[in-house]
Amino acid sequence: MKKLIVLVMAFVSVFLLADNQLANLRGDTPLDAEAEPPKMQAVENNDLKRERAYPQQAPTIPHDISGYQVDLNFNRCLACHSRKKADEAQAPMVSITHYMNREGQFLVDVSPRRFFCTQCHVTQQEVNPLIENTFVDMDTLVKGEE
Ligand code: HEC
Ligand code: HEC
């Protein structure tokens, strides 16, 4: 009897879910079908800083990075963004936080925690968001409360 109730509940919840779909990247494509991927857009390459959505945000990358090697042997990003190369490349030096270990002590070089740049820094594309985003900027939030 218990098993039957569980089964009925499972069916009901499937119907409820089907009726009230959560937004997802598949859109209306059924589970057993392959969705048509959106066309690849060119990566933003205008050298212009974007506004950060909040103070701690890792700045987005305003230039193309295709083909840049970042692995155990070499870090192409540091060839321009390290302290030693920033003047030559006229690139902003990596943030001082990138030299800190987890105890907050400064190291002579970029900390291993900050080595794989694209874990946090990403390029941008001019596309419509695949899923509606309800993010509200802090200033807008504070204004709303006043
Ligand atoms: C050939 C030199 C060069 C290389 C290689 C390079 N950058 Fe840059 N980067 C720059 C310069 C110069 C700027 C300043 C804006 C501009 O001119 O694009 C910049 C800007 C940035 C910014 C914006 C900083 C801010 O304050 O808004 C980020 C983030 C960044 N780069 C990340 C990266 C990452 C991650 C890589 C490796 C995948 C990388 N860069 C590789 C030269 C370089
Ligand atoms: C774990 C996340 C993380 C990784 C990995 C990381 N960054 Fe950052 N980066 C940030 C954040 C967050 C900020 C902004 C806050 C700050 O300054 O720490 C930032 C700031 C920067 C800035 C702006 C500095 C300035 O003064 O305007 C540059 C340039 C940058 N990072 C480049 C890099 C490069 C190059 C690498 C790889 C060697 C890298 N970052 C790896 C999170 C990261």
Side-chain angles (χ1 to χ4, degrees):
M1 187 60 196
K2 239 186 197 162
K3 267 188 192 154
L4 189 73
I5 291 175
V6 171
L7 207 67
V8 169
M9 272 163 63
F11 269 119
V12 170
S13 50
V14 165
F15 280 117
L16 282 178
L17 271 178
D19 219 40
N20 190 12
Q21 287 270 355
L22 289 170
N24 64 48
L25 290 173
R26 297 186 67 80
D28 296 334
T29 316
L31 276 177
D32 57 355
E34 189 92 24
E36 171 132 8
K39 286 210 178 73
M40 297 248 289
Q41 300 290 329
V43 161
E44 181 178 87
N45 196 22
N46 58 15
D47 300 335
L48 295 174
K49 281 184 199 218
R50 271 183 186 249
E51 184 189 357
R52 302 191 201 185
Y54 49 96
Q56 307 93 323
Q57 187 208 304
T60 57
I61 307 174
H63 56 72
D64 198 359
I65 59 162
S66 48
Y68 285 0
Q69 181 184 350
V70 179
D71 58 26
L72 188 62
N73 304 312
F74 189 68
N75 187 319
R76 183 78 180 89
C77 315
L78 287 177
C80 290
H81 286 284
S82 68
R83 182 179 64 82
K84 288 205 188 82
K85 296 290 171 63
D87 60 336
E88 203 179 299
Q90 283 300 300
M93 187 189 105
V94 294
S95 165
I96 186 64
T97 57
H98 295 31
Y99 285 77
M100 287 156 81
N101 68 9
R102 65 180 77 226
E103 275 82 45
Q105 276 178 329
F106 292 102
L107 311 174
V108 283
D109 214 335
V110 166
S111 164
R113 307 195 296 157
R114 294 283 186 276
F115 187 80
F116 292 105
C117 318
T118 48
Q119 259 178 280
C120 307
H121 297 280
V122 288
T123 51
Q124 300 291 296
Q125 299 174 347
E126 273 307 332
V127 289
N128 291 324
L130 291 170
I131 290 178
E132 190 202 356
N133 188 339
T134 53
F135 176 83
V136 179
D137 177 84
M138 239 188 295
D139 296 336
T140 318
L141 203 69
V142 170
K143 253 187 223 142
E145 278 175 4
E146 275 165 9

Coordinates of all heavy atoms in Angstrom, one line a residue, residues 47 49 52 59-63 65 68 76-77 80-81 89-92 117 121, ligand 1:
D47 N 38.5 46.6 -25.4 CA 39.5 47.1 -24.4 C 38.8 48.1 -23.5 O 39.5 48.9 -22.8 CB 40.6 47.9 -25.2 CG 41.4 46.9 -26.0 OD1 41.4 45.7 -25.8 OD2 42.0 47.4 -27.0
K49 N 36.7 48.8 -20.0 CA 36.3 48.2 -18.7 C 34.8 48.2 -18.6 O 34.1 49.1 -19.0 CB 36.8 49.1 -17.5 CG 38.2 48.8 -17.2 CD 38.6 49.6 -16.0 CE 40.1 49.8 -16.0 NZ 40.7 49.7 -14.7
R52 N 31.5 46.9 -12.6 CA 31.4 45.7 -11.8 C 30.0 45.7 -11.1 O 29.6 46.8 -10.6 CB 32.5 45.6 -10.8 CG 33.9 45.7 -11.4 CD 35.0 45.3 -10.5 NE 36.3 45.9 -11.0 CZ 37.4 45.6 -10.4 NH1 37.5 44.9 -9.3 NH2 38.5 46.1 -11.0
P59 N 36.8 41.6 -12.4 CA 36.4 42.3 -13.6 C 36.4 41.3 -14.8 O 37.1 40.4 -14.9 CB 37.6 43.3 -13.7 CG 38.6 42.9 -12.8 CD 38.0 42.1 -11.7
T60 N 35.5 41.6 -15.7 CA 35.4 40.8 -16.9 C 36.5 41.1 -17.8 O 37.1 42.2 -17.7 CB 34.0 41.1 -17.6 OG1 34.0 42.5 -17.9 CG2 32.8 40.7 -16.8
I61 N 36.8 40.2 -18.7 CA 38.0 40.4 -19.6 C 37.5 41.2 -20.9 O 36.6 40.7 -21.6 CB 38.6 39.1 -20.1 CG1 38.9 38.2 -18.8 CG2 39.8 39.3 -20.9 CD1 39.3 36.8 -19.2
P62 N 38.1 42.4 -21.1 CA 37.6 43.2 -22.3 C 38.3 42.9 -23.6 O 38.3 43.7 -24.5 CB 37.9 44.6 -21.8 CG 39.1 44.5 -20.9 CD 39.1 43.1 -20.3
H63 N 39.0 41.7 -23.6 CA 39.8 41.4 -24.9 C 39.7 39.9 -25.2 O 39.4 39.1 -24.3 CB 41.2 41.9 -24.8 CG 42.0 41.3 -23.6 ND1 42.3 40.0 -23.6 CD2 42.4 41.8 -22.5 CE1 42.9 39.7 -22.4 NE2 43.0 40.8 -21.7
I65 N 40.7 36.2 -25.7 CA 41.8 35.3 -25.1 C 41.9 34.0 -25.8 O 42.5 33.1 -25.3 CB 41.5 35.1 -23.6 CG1 40.1 34.4 -23.4 CG2 41.5 36.4 -22.8 CD1 40.0 33.8 -22.0
Y68 N 45.0 31.5 -25.8 CA 46.0 31.8 -24.7 C 46.2 30.6 -23.8 O 45.2 30.0 -23.2 CB 45.4 32.9 -23.8 CG 45.6 34.3 -24.5 CD1 46.1 34.5 -25.7 CD2 45.2 35.4 -23.8 CE1 46.3 35.7 -26.3 CE2 45.3 36.7 -24.4 CZ 45.8 36.8 -25.6 OH 45.9 38.1 -26.2
R76 N 49.8 32.5 -20.1 CA 49.9 33.6 -21.1 C 49.4 34.9 -20.4 O 49.9 36.0 -20.8 CB 49.0 33.2 -22.3 CG 49.0 34.2 -23.4 CD 50.3 34.2 -24.2 NE 50.3 35.2 -25.3 CZ 50.7 36.4 -25.2 NH1 51.2 36.8 -24.1 NH2 50.7 37.2 -26.3
C77 N 48.4 34.8 -19.6 CA 47.8 36.0 -18.9 C 48.9 36.8 -18.2 O 49.0 38.0 -18.2 CB 46.7 35.7 -18.0 SG 45.5 34.5 -18.7
C80 N 51.4 39.4 -19.6 CA 51.1 40.8 -19.7 C 50.7 41.4 -18.3 O 50.9 42.5 -18.0 CB 49.9 41.0 -20.6 SG 50.4 40.7 -22.4
H81 N 50.0 40.5 -17.5 CA 49.4 41.1 -16.3 C 50.2 40.9 -15.0 O 49.8 41.3 -13.9 CB 48.0 40.4 -16.0 CG 47.0 40.9 -17.0 ND1 46.3 42.1 -16.8 CD2 46.4 40.3 -18.1 CE1 45.5 42.3 -17.8 NE2 45.5 41.2 -18.6
A89 N 53.4 45.7 -21.3 CA 52.2 45.4 -22.0 C 51.2 46.5 -21.8 O 50.1 46.5 -22.5 CB 51.6 44.1 -21.5
Q90 N 51.4 47.4 -20.9 CA 50.4 48.5 -20.5 C 49.1 47.8 -20.2 O 48.0 48.3 -20.5 CB 50.2 49.5 -21.7 CG 51.4 50.5 -21.7 CD 51.6 51.3 -20.4 OE1 50.6 52.0 -20.1 NE2 52.7 51.2 -19.8
A91 N 49.2 46.7 -19.4 CA 48.0 46.0 -18.9 C 47.9 46.3 -17.4 O 48.9 46.5 -16.7 CB 48.2 44.5 -19.1
P92 N 46.7 46.3 -16.8 CA 46.6 46.4 -15.4 C 47.2 45.2 -14.7 O 47.0 44.1 -15.1 CB 45.1 46.5 -15.1 CG 44.5 45.9 -16.3 CD 45.4 46.1 -17.5
C117 N 43.4 31.9 -14.1 CA 42.6 33.2 -14.2 C 41.2 33.0 -14.6 O 40.3 33.7 -14.1 CB 43.3 34.1 -15.2 SG 45.1 34.1 -15.1
H121 N 37.8 35.2 -14.1 CA 37.6 36.2 -15.1 C 37.1 35.6 -16.4 O 37.7 34.6 -16.9 CB 39.0 36.9 -15.3 CG 39.5 37.6 -14.1 ND1 39.1 38.8 -13.7 CD2 40.4 37.2 -13.2 CE1 39.7 39.2 -12.6 NE2 40.6 38.2 -12.3
Ligands
HEC1 C1 49.0 40.8 -24.8 C2 48.8 41.2 -23.4 C3 47.7 40.6 -22.7 C4 47.4 39.2 -22.4 C5 48.2 38.0 -22.9 C6 46.2 39.2 -21.6 N1 45.8 40.5 -21.3 FE1 44.3 41.0 -20.1 N2 44.5 43.0 -20.6 C7 45.6 43.5 -21.3 C8 45.4 44.9 -21.5 C9 46.4 45.8 -22.2 C10 44.2 45.3 -20.7 C11 43.7 46.7 -20.6 C12 42.4 46.8 -21.4 C13 42.7 46.5 -22.8 O1 43.5 47.2 -23.4 O2 42.2 45.5 -23.3 C14 43.7 44.0 -20.2 C15 42.6 43.9 -19.4 C16 42.2 42.8 -18.7 C17 41.2 42.8 -17.7 C18 40.3 43.9 -17.2 C19 40.8 44.5 -15.9 C20 39.9 45.6 -15.4 O3 40.3 46.3 -14.5 O4 38.8 45.7 -15.9 C21 41.1 41.5 -17.3 C22 40.2 40.9 -16.2 C23 42.1 40.7 -18.0 N3 42.7 41.5 -18.9 C24 42.3 39.4 -17.8 C25 43.1 38.6 -18.7 C26 43.2 37.1 -18.6 C27 42.4 36.3 -17.7 C28 44.1 36.8 -19.5 C29 44.5 35.4 -19.9 C30 43.5 34.5 -20.3 C31 44.7 38.0 -20.2 N4 44.0 39.1 -19.6 C32 45.7 38.0 -21.1 C33 46.6 42.7 -21.9 C34 46.7 41.3 -21.9

